[in-house]
Amino acid sequence: MGEQPAHRFALRVYFEDTDAGGVVYHASYLRFAERARTEWLRDLGLPHRQLIDESGLIFVVKRLSIEYHRPARLDESLVVETRVAGIGGASVELRQTIGRGGEGIATLDVALACVRLATGRPERIPATLRALIHPVS
């Protein structure tokens, strides 16, 4: 598979994202990554609402690992880059990096499962959806 350009999502660290010392709380990185995945899908032309309404499918986090490299702090500007690392029959593997001015803050490896909303059961990713997510696969 060829390398696709990363999807970039910019954000600012707000007080609600930090601990009492102004350092980003560990769980806030999960929210940052979730927002970035939502905007990645939206920019592909797959907003969650449309995906649900047209196909009855959703993507859910099946597995996630995160490595923290450096702390982020109150009022900093961060960028979350999302790349497709692989795609299976009913799953998508993503690598998300959170950075500040070219400096790595955190790296997340995320496995998403394609699930039928009505049943909660995994389902193959439709070909049209697959082509949008990873057009070279």
Side-chain angles (χ1 to χ4, degrees):
M1 288 187 212
E3 172 108 0
Q4 285 184 288
H7 176 270
R8 295 174 54 86
F9 174 71
L11 62 99
R12 170 125 5 239
V13 176
Y14 296 109
F15 188 72
E16 67 185 12
D17 302 317
T18 66
D19 62 17
V23 174
V24 173
Y25 183 66
H26 72 275
S28 294
Y29 294 95
L30 301 177
R31 286 194 308 276
F32 298 162
E34 177 69 30
R35 290 178 202 153
R37 289 192 302 275
T38 296
E39 294 305 322
W40 166 69
L41 285 173
R42 184 183 315 284
D43 289 348
L44 288 175
L46 299 169
H48 286 300
R49 182 81 266 155
Q50 179 183 336
L51 189 59
I52 293 167
D53 291 345
E54 292 180 4
S55 66
L57 299 173
I58 59 171
F59 285 102
V60 298
V61 174
K62 177 182 176 185
R63 183 181 64 255
L64 183 142
S65 68
I66 184 167
E67 183 173 349
Y68 301 97
H69 306 294
R70 290 172 185 77
R73 300 182 191 286
L74 181 64
D75 288 331
E76 290 183 335
S77 294
L78 304 178
V79 174
V80 182
E81 292 187 352
T82 302
R83 287 183 173 82
V84 176
I87 188 164
S91 64
V92 178
E93 301 276 338
L94 300 175
R95 163 69 56 105
Q96 293 186 280
T97 55
I98 301 174
R100 168 188 58 222
E103 179 181 41
I105 301 294
T107 303
L108 296 89
D109 290 309
V110 185
L112 301 176
C114 183
V115 172
R116 170 88 30 215
L117 184 59
T119 63
R121 306 207 32 103
E123 188 159 317
R124 288 190 67 77
I125 300 169
T128 53
L129 189 55
R130 178 183 298 280
L132 290 171
I133 292 172
H134 207 276
V136 296
S137 63

